Amino acid sequence: MRLKPFCIAIWIISWWLWPVHIFAQPMELSLADYDRLLRATYAAAQRGDLLELQTLAAELTAINQVRMPDGQTAHVDHRWLAEALAPSAPDTSAIAARLGALIDALPPSTAVVTDALKHWEAVLNEPPFNRDQSESWFTHFLDWLLDGLADLLPDLPDMPVTPTPGDPSWITPVAWGILAITALLFGGLIFFWARNMRRALRPVVGIAESGVEAEPVTFSQAQRMAEAARRAGDRRNAVRYLYLAALLWLDEQKLLSFQRELTNREYLSRLRDQPPLYTQLTPIIATFEAVWYGLQTIEEQAFRAYEQQVTTLIGQTGTKYEATA
């Protein structure tokens, strides 16, 4: 009976220490998944969605380690996020700025590139790119003909290295036949090459004649194409055209030179001396990369928040901007 209180005390101590042992175990996440979680939390902070932000913050706070592409692990600590969300009215702008800095500090991940390559692979497997690579009847015919000519070559008579001018005796009927067949093959190859080139160019001509708009070169064109994509339910292209509209607007206002060969990070680096503009363009680029390169689905509410970010940027950097939505 004296052992009973002792056993109860051991059970109580074990009951209290067991959760500590469980939660002390490090929670690991891959770099690609960690990057997606950071960007989702960043987008929620930008929208001011406290409910989603608190949910995602709980996931981030539970992470202790991040697995790098080379197999090494890096320790992370997001207790600051829980502390920032503790007040009744947390500063979501400051949280978003700190999350954005974390995203910029991340090492490059291959997840976005891999997803983009899969997307392009799916596109290239559709017409007109997925042309049948199997050998045609003409290729089989050429193989058969060349094999036959190879069988005839050992039977050709010896020809003098320097033929006598005016003496055609060295040109045998077999040689004439080979020359004629070679000329026919050469002509046939030119014919089929020209026909294939005509087929390849036909879709391009059709697109040019159908009046389809090319890439926008002005702010108004990008704005119009974004509105058309949104009405068609294509929010992914609408996000891209809105981003182009923002860049073209800044170019027209002489605030940022628009050059298609520049990357998104290069655009941001050119705005380091303009902190307000840098802060406004950063979440726009983050959403665009997640939707366009990361192939993430953007819901209507998130799209409207993104559209409002572009509207605010344009409204604060030039004349009054009237949203098309």
Side-chain angles (χ1 to χ4, degrees), residues 194-213:
R195 189 180 68 172
N196 289 335
M197 287 294 296
R198 183 179 179 184
R199 289 179 177 178
L201 293 176
R202 189 175 300 165
V204 178
V205 175
I207 291 176
E209 292 176 352
S210 62
V212 176
E213 289 187 283

Side-chain angles (χ1 to χ4, degrees), residues 33-236:
D33 293 336
Y34 178 67
D35 179 78
R36 293 191 185 97
L37 183 56
L38 268 183
R39 292 182 185 276
T41 311
Y42 175 79
Q46 282 289 327
R47 297 193 303 270
D49 189 347
L50 287 178
L51 183 61
E52 184 178 359
L53 181 58
Q54 290 172 350
T55 303
L56 295 173
E59 298 183 28
L60 273 177
T61 308
I63 299 172
N64 304 108
Q65 295 180 353
V66 176
R67 175 71 61 179
M68 297 299 173
D70 58 0
Q72 297 183 359
T73 58
H75 177 73
V76 294
D77 187 353
H78 296 288
R79 286 178 293 182
W80 67 268
L81 183 55
E83 296 173 357
L85 291 173
S88 58
D91 188 354
T92 56
S93 299
I95 294 175
R98 188 163 180 179
L99 288 172
L102 286 176
I103 293 173
D104 290 336
L106 284 180
S109 174
T110 60
V112 173
V113 178
T114 303
D115 292 339
L117 289 177
K118 290 181 180 179
H119 172 70
W120 281 112
E121 183 179 356
V123 172
L124 293 175
N125 286 332
E126 298 177 358
F129 304 105
N130 63 338
R131 295 179 179 174
D132 187 7
Q133 299 298 324
S134 60
E135 295 184 351
S136 62
W137 65 269
F138 184 69
T139 304
H140 289 292
F141 171 74
L142 288 180
D143 293 338
W144 171 80
L145 187 58
L146 292 176
D147 290 339
L149 290 176
D151 294 337
L152 292 175
L153 287 176
D155 299 330
L156 290 176
D158 294 335
M159 300 180 185
V161 177
T162 306
T164 303
D167 184 11
S169 59
W170 65 279
I171 305 179
T172 64
V174 176
W176 278 113
I178 293 176
L179 291 176
I181 292 174
T182 303
L184 289 175
L185 291 176
F186 185 71
L189 289 175
I190 293 178
F191 170 76
F192 280 98
W193 174 81
R195 189 180 68 172
N196 289 335
M197 287 294 296
R198 183 179 179 184
R199 289 179 177 178
L201 293 176
R202 189 175 300 165
V204 178
V205 175
I207 291 176
E209 292 176 352
S210 62
V212 176
E213 289 187 283
E215 285 291 286
V217 295
T218 64
F219 161 71
S220 59
Q221 289 179 350
Q223 180 188 14
R224 185 175 63 254
M225 296 172 75
E227 174 64 13
R230 186 188 68 81
R231 290 180 177 177
D234 186 3
R235 287 194 291 266
R236 183 170 183 267

